Amino acid sequence: MTKPIILTGLRANNDLTLGNYFGGMLPIIDMAQQKSDEYQINMFIPDLHSFTTPIKHELLYSQIIQTAKLFAAAGLPLDNDSIYLYRQSYVPAHSELTWILDCFTYTGELARMTQFKDKSNLDESKLLLLKKEQNKLLTLSTSVGLYNYPVLMAADILLYGAKYVPVGDDQTQHLEFTRDIAERMNSKFGELFVVPEAVKKQHEFFGNDQGLRIMDLVDPTRKMSKSATSDKGVIFLSDTPDEAAKKIMGATTDDKAFVAYDPLEQPGISNLLQISALLSGKELEAVIEKHAGQERYGDFKKEVAEQVKSFLVHFQEQLKQVDEAAVMSKLESSEKAMNEQANATLYRVQQAVGLRPKA
Ligand code: TRP
């Protein structure tokens, strides 16, 4: 009666943006609800991943709980027994399996991970330049944690035998690595792990997103991201509704004075049209049609600003209503169940590598 498993990790550090909400959180919650009849859904907060790059540790714990509450506020059902919501560090098997997998992973495999290369900034000359420019202290060296992160991610997936893992572009390499290490262990030790499906199959399974991407308001050629240099282009779920409305009013547009959907020529206006579509739950086409030809950008922006404002008022109210005790109890019951599942896998691995007696 065990169901196949869909697994996804939802990062906790930093604040979620409107882009994260519509591009990540909502689609995942929808998916979980739709698939939970046939699949076990593992949603977890990869808290051990939170400090592969420097963070404010004094804030981490409350951010982890906040993330769980955000999911509840966004509609994740807490009473669905096929959906588990758990914190990685509450299931110690993740760390233990990571160490074992580490010993079968080659340094070269990890060194070529794009995300590692991007984030580690190994290029010293570039670093020094940055240091001068920003006139602030930058960490000069990279942690082993950042380097090792894909192995922990592989453990996250392999402990539960997850077949389906929705992955964004930045995670495809890590998923491929997970498949590699699973296959390597299987060929060395016999069938230990379920090998997750390849990226192409993952995309077929989850379907393509509607292509709606929220862009930065100041630089609409970039994705809206919390790592942007300025907060002015980024709407956070925690912004006050007025703050957020101001950001919309200040969004970069163009001098055409003609509302049209043209992401190349009018990226700012096109982005506002998309935001409006997402916030109103309407088809993009309908929103484009409604505003087509509007000449006063100010009027158009005001409408979008109002939408953002009422969305945030509503969302923040829902967040306030979230029953923290219910969230904690969901986390705890999920963690209990997950420890059982994960420990069973870990034990098989420990037996295979010789740390435990064979049955
Ligand atoms: N690496 C993912 C991210 O940065 C988060 C994550 C950690 C994850 N472990 C995972 C995602 C396992 C899927 C499966 O977004």
Side-chain angles (χ1 to χ4, degrees), residues 7-11 42 44-47 49 88 94 115 119 149-150 152-157 164-168 170-171 174-175 178:
L7 176 142
T8 185
L10 319 149
R11 280 175 161 269
N42 284 21
F44 75 101
I45 301 171
D47 52 358
H49 286 258
Q88 180 187 40
H94 288 246
Q115 201 175 49
K119 287 201 187 173
Y149 166 105
L152 179 56
M153 182 161 161
D156 296 339
I157 296 170
Y164 295 105
V165 183
V167 277
D170 58 338
Q171 301 298 320
H174 301 160
L175 184 71
T178 304

Side-chain angles (χ1 to χ4, degrees), residues 17-175:
T17 68
L18 208 59
N20 299 137
Y21 181 81
F22 286 107
M25 197 143 94
L26 277 193
I28 280 178
I29 292 175
D30 276 352
M31 180 281 292
Q33 279 174 304
Q34 280 170 29
K35 306 253 191 226
S36 66
D37 285 343
E38 281 176 70
Y39 295 86
Q40 171 181 319
I41 315 288
N42 284 21
M43 301 184 51
F44 75 101
I45 301 171
D47 52 358
L48 291 169
H49 286 258
S50 302
F51 36 87
T52 51
T53 51
I55 59 157
K56 291 197 174 115
H57 291 270
E58 65 276 22
L59 299 181
L60 181 58
Y61 186 76
S62 64
Q63 283 170 338
I64 292 166
I65 302 302
Q66 186 68 7
T67 303
K69 286 169 73 176
L70 283 171
F71 271 87
L76 182 76
L78 298 178
D79 58 356
N80 183 325
D81 289 339
S82 295
I83 302 178
Y84 294 97
L85 179 68
Y86 57 102
R87 295 161 288 184
Q88 180 187 40
S89 74
Y90 281 74
V91 186
H94 288 246
S95 309
E96 285 199 49
L97 182 60
T98 299
W99 174 254
I100 296 174
L101 296 181
D102 266 341
C103 299
F104 298 90
T105 299
Y106 309 121
T107 52
E109 283 179 294
L110 298 183
R112 65 165 183 263
M113 293 289 168
T114 315
Q115 201 175 49
F116 170 70
K117 287 195 281 190
D118 286 352
K119 287 201 187 173
S120 61
N121 259 316
L122 279 177
D123 183 342
E124 297 255 332
S125 57
K126 208 159 107 195
L127 251 172
L128 286 175
L129 199 83
L130 262 175
K131 228 177 136 171
K132 261 199 206 134
E133 272 177 10
Q134 308 194 345
N135 195 22
K136 65 180 172 196
L137 204 67
L138 277 164
T139 352
L140 261 172
S141 50
T142 303
S143 79
V144 175
L146 182 66
Y147 179 70
N148 201 26
Y149 166 105
V151 184
L152 179 56
M153 182 161 161
D156 296 339
I157 296 170
L158 298 177
L159 274 176
Y160 304 95
K163 222 170 162 56
Y164 295 105
V165 183
V167 277
D169 293 343
D170 58 338
Q171 301 298 320
T172 57
Q173 235 186 344
H174 301 160
L175 184 71

